[in-house]
Amino acid sequence: MSDPTAGGLENLLSEDRRFPPSAEFVAQANATADLYAWANADRPAFWAEQARELISWSTPFEQTLDWSQAPVARWFADGTLNAAYNAVDRHVEAGRGDRVALHFEGEAGDTRTITYADLQREVSKTANALASLGVGTGDRVAIYLPLIPEAVFTMLACARIGAPHSVVFGGFSAEALHSRILDAEAKVVVTADGGFRRGAPSALKPAVDEALDKGAPSVQHVLVVQRTQQEVSWTEGRDVWWSDVVDPASDQHTPVDVEAEHPLFILYTSGTTGKPKGIFHTTGGYLTQAAYTHLNVFDLKPETDVYWCTADIGWITGHTYVVYGPLVNGATQVIYEGTPDTPHRGRWWEIIAKYGVTILYTAPTAIRTCMKWGEEIPAQFDLSSLRVLGSVGEPINPEAWMWYRRVIGGDKAPIVDTWWQTETGAIMISPLPGVTETKPGSAQVPLPGVAADVVDDEAHSVPNGSGGYLVLTEPWPAMLRGIWGDQQRYKDTYWSRFQNLYFAGDGAKKDDDGDIWLLGRVDDVMNVSGHRLSTTEIESALVSHPWVAEAAVVGANDETTGQAVVAFVILRGDAGASQTPADEVQAELRNHVAKEIGPIAKPRQVLVVQELPKTRSGKIMRRLLRDVAEHRQVGDATTLADSSVMDLIAQGLSTPQSD
Ligand code: WTA
């Protein structure tokens, strides 16, 4: 494990700029400072109150928290509910059916406005169609779709039936999709012919075909949305068009009541080993914290706000802050299929002006990209509707924070830098926009109801001004209930580093006020453009290529993407690589990783080396490789078995190859 406090982040803590919320904002804010005291006085009772207040229960719960099977929590376990009912039907029943739920904006400029009443019909039809394909309560459904309304309908249709969904990001490869389908034993896969990406249709169905050709005995049907009108190959009996089964289905469907601890979804995320972890979340606790955080952190006013979270539904942010949080709260939101620069670099700002977006939630990597494009681009659009800005996915550097505030937020909208993980299910550490005096670059304080700390190697809480490991010290409602099919791995990964503390895998510091600053991962997980990637997974992909004998991967600092993948490989002497020019070898290996995992995992650089730096016990010293990749003086190499290795590597360093 690397030293969480290493890496030149000291300067972050000299930050002394402070941004208190304006008096006007405070006067209308949902969350007030007394929430902290209330939650601290009796944390479970606080959560029970949120659960009763924000969620509609079919059977009210009596039990709040059962921690007797720790580290597997049970929240509100004797209650029953349905997630889709909470996200859709109850708003219609309360007379809000005409409110817009989704303003969909396709990349090509096509739009669709979906009210809550429309959503109820669409979700019901989809649920009936899935049921006709054999999906019942407890069955798993894999979803491999672009960010189109059907993705939201399908997730909610699954929730309506009580069939856990497993959304696989459309940028993942057939190989990655295959392993996820197998692990979850999905009965149905929902996909599209393709989606629009950077002005062109990109295919999805071929990846599903390829994944299923590898063998997936659990899959009975593939439900295919027509989005791009591309040619697709077809397996009779297995494949069905959306238009053939969903469109004609009845729009009446009764949501299935499930127990609060019924699994709502599985979402795979990278861990420190090669095999992705199927993080699974249950219904009652997850929905409670999704709704609570969405309401308070973003100060949502469902009647007047227009909310936009730019995440794809393939990630946890898309689950909690595109689908469940906003819809359970009855919000009006924008969803956008495409990229920020298609057809022009002002596209996001144009969308904000068009819909009058009031709350924007995005990732630092996107902000840094827009900074690079220049502030004259957002300046061409009216962004004055924005009143709250959120950030998620990686530490936000103070320059990006200040730019976000000034250029996008007109120097008035509070910024909430929200720390959380796939595993935590919902936001854990964040300012409250009407309470906290914000500091550029710090996520600052655990939310009311959340207990976090920074500890040293011996699990002792560090004093203010010191660094260590971020831990969560009390169970929270939206916490993962485990790793699908592997509860031992759940315990080993999160609960073995420190006794009775959830180890998040992040390094952190407390400043002199006790505010928390996140310093990045301390394990072998990288964060590229806010996406989690495992070094081991990419190394396995590289060594699966016949040319590669050995590989080591590191995450190097990158101005735009936060980190970038840099791979060091040793080639096999006997393989075709020796006859191939070096740049072709590198291109071939970069593409191989893209094919095995997905384009997001494609290394920025592949460096061919003769040796890798190893300790006498044979462990690769990635720290030294990171020094090389970041063009730094190589650090202490005295524990290397052969200390001349680093000189050889540094000499062989070539120019960047990313495209
Ligand atoms: C990182 C995304 C600093 C962190 C919601 C965490 C952050 C990992 C922040 C989880 C933030 C997320 N500041 N780091 N505001 N938000 N992270 O599972 O390293 O895709 O462990 O969930 O992202 O990534 P995941």
Side-chain angles (χ1 to χ4, degrees):
M1 200 172 292
S2 61
D3 173 2
T5 60
L9 287 147
E10 295 292 336
N11 57 339
L12 281 181
L13 297 178
S14 60
E15 179 60 66
D16 53 13
R17 286 169 289 197
R18 299 285 182 277
F19 297 90
S22 68
E24 298 94 284
F25 198 99
V26 173
Q28 58 82 64
N30 290 347
T32 49
D34 55 342
L35 279 188
Y36 293 103
W38 175 22
N40 279 341
D42 187 342
R43 189 170 286 106
F46 172 81
W47 283 119
E49 178 68 19
Q50 301 305 324
R52 291 192 182 101
E53 184 92 353
L54 301 173
I55 301 299
S56 301
W57 298 82
S58 308
T59 317
F61 62 90
E62 299 284 334
Q63 298 163 14
T64 298
L65 168 65
D66 174 5
W67 193 227
S68 63
Q69 310 291 314
V72 181
R74 290 167 60 78
W75 283 90
F76 320 125
D78 58 345
T80 68
L81 73 167
N82 182 278
Y85 174 81
N86 271 275
V88 185
D89 302 60
R90 64 170 180 160
H91 305 309
V92 180
E93 287 172 11
R96 296 189 292 266
D98 290 340
R99 183 182 295 169
V100 174
L102 303 172
H103 286 293
F104 168 69
E105 177 90 14
E107 198 190 66
D110 53 319
T111 61
R112 192 170 165 189
T113 305
I114 297 156
T115 65
Y116 276 93
D118 296 333
L119 192 59
Q120 186 182 36
R121 286 188 288 272
E122 297 293 346
V123 173
S124 297
K125 280 159 67 159
T126 313
N128 283 321
L130 287 174
S132 75
L133 296 175
V135 176
T137 304
D139 289 337
R140 273 82 60 204
V141 174
I143 302 177
Y144 189 63
L145 281 170
L147 184 47
I148 54 177
E150 288 81 355
V152 179
F153 304 159
T154 307
M155 289 169 75
L156 292 172
C158 290
R160 217 174 165 86
I161 299 174
H165 52 71
S166 164
V167 181
V168 180
F169 174 55
F172 276 125
S173 66
E175 184 62 45
L177 175 63
H178 180 238
S179 65
R180 286 157 174 77
I181 289 173
L182 284 190
D183 191 75
E185 297 172 288
K187 197 166 188 180
V188 167
V189 182
V190 184
T191 189
D193 47 1
F196 291 100
R197 208 82 200 137
R198 298 196 188 285
S202 81
L204 284 171
K205 173 74 165 44
V208 175
D209 293 333
E210 197 185 326
L212 298 185
D213 283 348
K214 294 174 197 284
S218 60
V219 175
Q220 296 179 1
H221 289 289
V222 179
L223 177 58
V224 190
V225 177
Q226 236 168 346
R227 169 77 186 135
T228 55
Q229 321 298 325
Q230 284 160 297
E231 281 285 318
V232 295
S233 64
W234 206 251
T235 302
E236 277 315 321
R238 185 195 72 183
D239 298 352
V240 283
W241 286 114
W242 181 279
S243 52
D244 287 341
V245 292
V246 180
D247 290 354
S250 158
D251 63 8
Q252 303 291 314
H253 180 273
T254 309
V256 175
D257 280 337
V258 297
E259 291 181 356
E261 286 299 333
H262 185 76
L264 180 61
F265 65 84
I266 308 170
L267 184 59
Y268 288 84
T269 188
S270 296
T272 52
T273 65
K275 192 174 179 285
K277 297 176 288 199
I279 303 300
F280 80 92
H281 284 284
T282 58
T283 310
Y286 171 81
L287 284 190
T288 299
Q289 198 174 334
Y292 159 80
T293 51
H294 184 256
L295 199 66
N296 290 297
V297 173
F298 300 111
D299 191 51
L300 178 84
K301 307 286 189 281
E303 304 79 24
T304 47
D305 275 315
V306 179
Y307 164 87
W308 183 22
C309 166
T310 63
D312 188 89
I313 45 131
W315 310 109
I316 190 68
T317 308
H319 282 60
T320 311
Y321 298 107
V322 176
V323 179
Y324 292 106
L327 296 176
V328 166
N329 286 336
T332 294
Q333 67 175 320
V334 172
I335 57 172
Y336 170 54
E337 176 187 26
T339 47
D341 53 351
T342 308
H344 58 80
R345 290 178 166 180
R347 187 67 191 273
W348 274 16
W349 320 122
E350 185 178 63
I351 290 173
I352 289 172
K354 173 175 173 185
Y355 294 102
V357 171
T358 57
I359 305 170
L360 176 67
Y361 192 28
T362 192
T365 184
I367 299 163
R368 289 193 297 265
T369 302
C370 295
M371 281 171 77
K372 228 170 39 183
W373 292 342
E375 63 183 83
E376 61 284 2
I377 296 177
Q380 293 160 22
F381 300 91
D382 178 7
L383 305 180
S384 61
S385 54
L386 287 170
R387 62 176 203 93
V388 180
L389 302 176
S391 174
V392 62
E394 52 179 318
I396 178 164
N397 44 312
E399 306 81 74
W401 194 102
M402 289 301 296
W403 189 92
Y404 195 24
R405 180 178 163 92
R406 180 175 58 80
V407 179
I408 307 304
D411 253 332
K412 63 170 185 11
I415 295 182
V416 286
D417 174 10
T418 62
W419 179 90
W420 60 295
Q421 311 178 293
T422 306
E423 292 86 342
T424 69
I427 298 170
M428 301 293 282
I429 303 177
S430 165
L432 284 174
V435 178
T436 315
E437 188 178 75
T438 54
K439 300 175 180 177
S442 171
Q444 295 186 289
V445 268
L447 288 179
V450 170
D453 201 358
V454 180
V455 299
D456 65 16
D457 268 316
E458 271 72 55
H460 298 126
S461 180
V462 304
N464 289 354
S466 305
Y469 305 98
L470 182 70
V471 293
L472 301 169
T473 59
E474 297 287 342
W476 63 101
M479 70 192 294
L480 73 166
R481 300 302 196 260
I483 295 177
W484 193 255
D486 197 350
Q487 289 304 69
Q488 190 55 45
R489 191 174 174 201
Y490 167 60
K491 290 175 187 158
D492 294 346
T493 308
Y494 305 102
W495 300 93
S496 65
R497 178 70 181 79
F498 303 109
Q499 216 184 348
N500 299 328
L501 297 176
Y502 171 90
F503 172 50
D506 282 278
K509 276 199 173 194
K510 289 183 201 165
D511 69 13
D512 292 339
D513 304 325
D515 281 336
I516 296 175
W517 294 70
L518 279 310
L519 303 180
R521 302 287 305 195
V522 293
D523 52 13
D524 291 333
V525 172
M526 289 172 290
N527 194 324
V528 178
S529 298
H531 299 150
R532 268 167 77 165
L533 297 170
S534 141
T535 50
T536 327
E537 202 180 347
I538 301 176
E539 286 166 4
S540 310
L542 284 165
V543 296
S544 75
H545 193 285
W547 292 353
V548 177
E550 235 186 303
V553 163
V554 298
N557 283 335
D558 184 283
E559 242 180 49
T560 308
T561 59
Q563 285 188 311
V565 180
V566 177
F568 295 81
V569 297
I570 302 177
L571 299 176
R572 285 174 198 267
D574 55 346
S578 52
Q579 280 89 52
T580 313
D583 54 341
E584 280 177 38
V585 171
Q586 289 156 350
E588 163 73 18
L589 296 180
R590 294 177 65 228
N591 290 333
H592 179 69
V593 173
K595 187 176 162 292
E596 290 289 304
I597 303 172
I600 48 167
K602 198 172 181 175
R604 181 180 74 185
Q605 273 177 295
V606 175
L607 302 168
V608 175
V609 295
Q610 302 301 319
E611 298 280 351
L612 288 169
K614 289 188 184 155
T615 61
R616 286 175 198 92
S617 62
K619 194 173 173 318
I620 295 173
M621 293 189 71
R622 290 198 182 76
R623 171 172 64 79
L624 300 178
L625 293 174
R626 206 171 300 124
D627 288 342
V628 173
E630 293 174 355
H631 311 283
R632 257 199 314 276
Q633 178 86 35
V634 172
D636 180 7
T638 48
T639 53
L640 282 183
D642 173 0
S643 57
S644 64
V645 166
M646 287 318 296
D647 297 335
L648 279 177
I649 292 176
Q651 280 161 20
L653 188 71
S654 55
T655 48
Q657 301 150 29
S658 65
D659 53 21

